[in-house]
Amino acid sequence: MSGLRVVAFAVAACLAAIGPALAQDATTLKKEMPGQWELSTTERSKTCVVTLKADAAGQAFKLELEPACKTALPFTKDIVAWSVKGLDIVRLQDATGEAVIDFTEVEAGIFEGLRQGEGVYILQDLAAARSMAKSMDQMIGDWSMVRGNGQPVCGLTLTNTEASPDNFQVFLKPKCDPAIAQFNPAQWRLERGQIVLMSKSGEVWQFEADDNAQWRRVPDTADPLIMLRQ
């Protein structure tokens, strides 16, 4: 067999192997997507519930939008069905089959889609979205920062006032430890189970919950900084 024919055979074999894998991934998505999802802006200031169904609608599948969707997110008025395109694209489409918005999975159960001129939208499992919202609500309020020995070094307030997309305002109370006062966080968010504090200069501090219902700055140090809910 000539070298060219060997290469051609190898390419054909690879394509044959890839084909079923692509089909399997698309098939898996079609099986996993039916259910209730939250469609929202990135900061969840506007949300609506989308129910994806397994019932066929031509070359796509049926869906239901809650009545509030068209008011919260006007572009949803054109959505009549959903489908899976290519390897991993979940498409919410109009009556002609054209994409109103395409989503790709960025984390388990969380999809992102971009509408030109509007921005990024999130599609995520409804129960998980509501659990996250509840968790964030529990974060809002007054906190104390203490050292590992329990000595208080600062007080701060986490708010639900939007500072920028996905981020919210945080305020330090007077008489903070100099290092914390210099950091001077202006924004916060809850991300992947962490409290993230951000300064105006872009510096970031991250805190993770430990087994004692405290939030410790990570990476941990010999003199840890801990956030306690007041």
Side-chain angles (χ1 to χ4, degrees), residues 29 31 35 44 55 59 62 65 73 107 117 122 124 135 147 174 183 187 189 194 217:
L29 262 184
K31 290 180 179 178
R44 298 187 73 253
D55 306 321
Q59 298 298 310
K62 295 180 180 179
L65 297 165
L73 302 170
E107 293 181 37
I122 305 296
Q124 61 180 319
S135 296
R147 292 296 182 187
F183 170 49
Q187 301 182 47
R189 67 173 177 266
Q194 293 183 335
R217 188 180 173 195

Coordinates of all heavy atoms in Angstrom, one line a residue, residues 29 31 35 44 55 59 62 65 73 107 117 122 124 135 147 174 183 187 189 194 217:
L29 N -26.9 15.2 25.0 CA -27.5 16.5 25.2 C -29.0 16.4 25.0 O -29.7 17.0 25.8 CB -26.9 17.5 24.3 CG -25.7 18.4 24.9 CD1 -25.3 19.5 23.8 CD2 -26.1 19.1 26.2
K31 N -30.9 14.0 25.5 CA -31.5 13.3 26.6 C -31.5 14.1 27.9 O -32.4 14.0 28.7 CB -30.8 12.0 26.8 CG -31.1 11.0 25.6 CD -30.3 9.7 25.9 CE -30.6 8.6 24.8 NZ -29.9 7.4 25.0
G35 N -36.5 19.5 30.6 CA -36.7 19.9 32.0 C -36.8 21.4 32.1 O -36.9 22.1 31.1
R44 N -28.5 38.1 36.6 CA -29.8 37.6 37.0 C -30.8 38.7 37.4 O -31.7 38.5 38.2 CB -29.7 36.6 38.2 CG -28.9 35.4 37.9 CD -28.9 34.3 39.0 NE -30.2 33.7 39.1 CZ -31.1 33.9 40.0 NH1 -30.9 34.8 40.9 NH2 -32.3 33.3 40.0
D55 N -40.6 16.2 23.3 CA -41.5 16.0 22.2 C -41.0 16.7 20.9 O -40.6 17.8 21.0 CB -42.9 16.6 22.5 CG -43.5 16.0 23.8 OD1 -43.3 14.8 24.1 OD2 -44.1 16.8 24.6
Q59 N -37.9 19.2 13.0 CA -36.6 18.7 13.2 C -36.0 19.2 14.5 O -34.9 19.0 14.8 CB -35.7 19.4 12.1 CG -36.0 18.9 10.7 CD -35.9 17.4 10.5 OE1 -34.8 16.8 10.8 NE2 -36.9 16.7 10.0
K62 N -40.1 20.6 21.3 CA -41.0 21.6 21.8 C -40.5 22.2 23.1 O -39.6 21.7 23.8 CB -42.4 21.0 22.1 CG -43.1 20.5 20.9 CD -44.5 19.9 21.2 CE -45.2 19.4 20.0 NZ -46.5 18.7 20.4
L65 N -42.4 28.7 27.3 CA -41.9 29.9 28.0 C -42.9 30.4 29.0 O -44.1 30.5 28.6 CB -41.5 31.0 27.0 CG -40.4 30.6 26.0 CD1 -40.4 31.7 24.9 CD2 -39.1 30.6 26.7
L73 N -37.4 39.4 28.9 CA -36.4 39.3 27.9 C -37.1 39.3 26.5 O -37.5 38.2 26.0 CB -35.7 37.9 28.1 CG -34.9 37.8 29.4 CD1 -34.4 36.3 29.6 CD2 -33.8 38.7 29.5
E107 N -19.9 25.3 32.3 CA -19.8 24.5 33.5 C -20.9 23.4 33.5 O -21.8 23.5 32.7 CB -19.9 25.3 34.7 CG -18.8 26.3 35.0 CD -19.0 27.1 36.2 OE1 -19.4 26.5 37.2 OE2 -18.7 28.3 36.3
G117 N -24.9 42.8 20.2 CA -25.5 44.1 20.6 C -26.2 44.1 21.9 O -26.6 45.2 22.4
I122 N -27.5 33.6 30.3 CA -27.1 32.3 30.9 C -28.4 31.4 30.9 O -29.5 31.9 31.1 CB -26.7 32.6 32.4 CG1 -25.6 33.6 32.5 CG2 -26.4 31.2 33.1 CD1 -24.3 33.1 31.8
Q124 N -29.4 27.9 32.8 CA -28.9 26.9 33.8 C -30.1 26.2 34.5 O -31.3 26.8 34.4 CB -28.1 27.6 34.9 CG -28.7 28.7 35.7 CD -27.7 29.2 36.8 OE1 -27.0 28.5 37.4 NE2 -27.8 30.5 36.9
S135 N -28.5 31.2 48.1 CA -27.2 31.3 48.8 C -26.7 32.7 48.8 O -26.2 33.1 49.8 CB -26.2 30.3 48.1 OG -26.6 29.0 48.2
R147 N -8.7 37.6 62.6 CA -7.5 36.8 62.4 C -7.8 35.4 63.0 O -8.8 35.1 63.6 CB -6.3 37.4 63.0 CG -5.9 38.7 62.4 CD -5.4 38.5 61.0 NE -4.9 39.7 60.3 CZ -4.6 39.8 59.0 NH1 -4.6 38.7 58.3 NH2 -4.2 40.9 58.5
P174 N -15.5 51.8 59.4 CA -14.4 52.5 59.9 C -13.4 51.6 60.8 O -13.8 50.6 61.3 CB -15.0 53.6 60.7 CG -16.4 53.8 60.2 CD -16.8 52.4 59.9
F183 N -6.4 47.4 50.8 CA -7.1 46.6 49.8 C -8.4 47.3 49.4 O -8.7 47.4 48.2 CB -7.4 45.2 50.3 CG -8.2 44.3 49.5 CD1 -8.0 44.2 48.1 CD2 -9.3 43.6 50.1 CE1 -8.8 43.4 47.3 CE2 -10.1 42.8 49.3 CZ -9.9 42.7 47.9
Q187 N -16.3 45.7 45.3 CA -17.3 44.8 44.7 C -17.1 43.4 45.3 O -16.0 43.1 45.7 CB -17.2 44.9 43.2 CG -17.3 46.2 42.6 CD -17.3 46.1 41.1 OE1 -17.9 45.3 40.4 NE2 -16.5 47.0 40.5
R189 N -18.8 39.1 44.7 CA -19.8 38.2 44.0 C -19.6 36.8 44.6 O -18.6 36.6 45.3 CB -19.5 38.1 42.5 CG -18.2 37.5 42.1 CD -18.1 37.4 40.6 NE -16.9 36.9 40.1 CZ -15.9 37.6 39.7 NH1 -16.0 39.0 39.7 NH2 -14.7 37.1 39.3
Q194 N -17.3 30.4 46.3 CA -16.4 31.3 47.0 C -17.0 32.7 47.1 O -17.7 33.1 46.2 CB -15.1 31.4 46.3 CG -14.2 30.1 46.3 CD -12.9 30.3 45.6 OE1 -12.7 31.2 44.8 NE2 -11.9 29.5 46.0
R217 N -9.8 33.0 53.9 CA -9.2 33.5 52.7 C -8.3 32.4 52.2 O -7.6 31.7 52.9 CB -8.3 34.8 53.0 CG -7.8 35.4 51.7 CD -7.0 36.6 51.9 NE -6.4 37.0 50.6 CZ -5.4 37.9 50.5 NH1 -4.9 38.5 51.6 NH2 -4.9 38.2 49.3

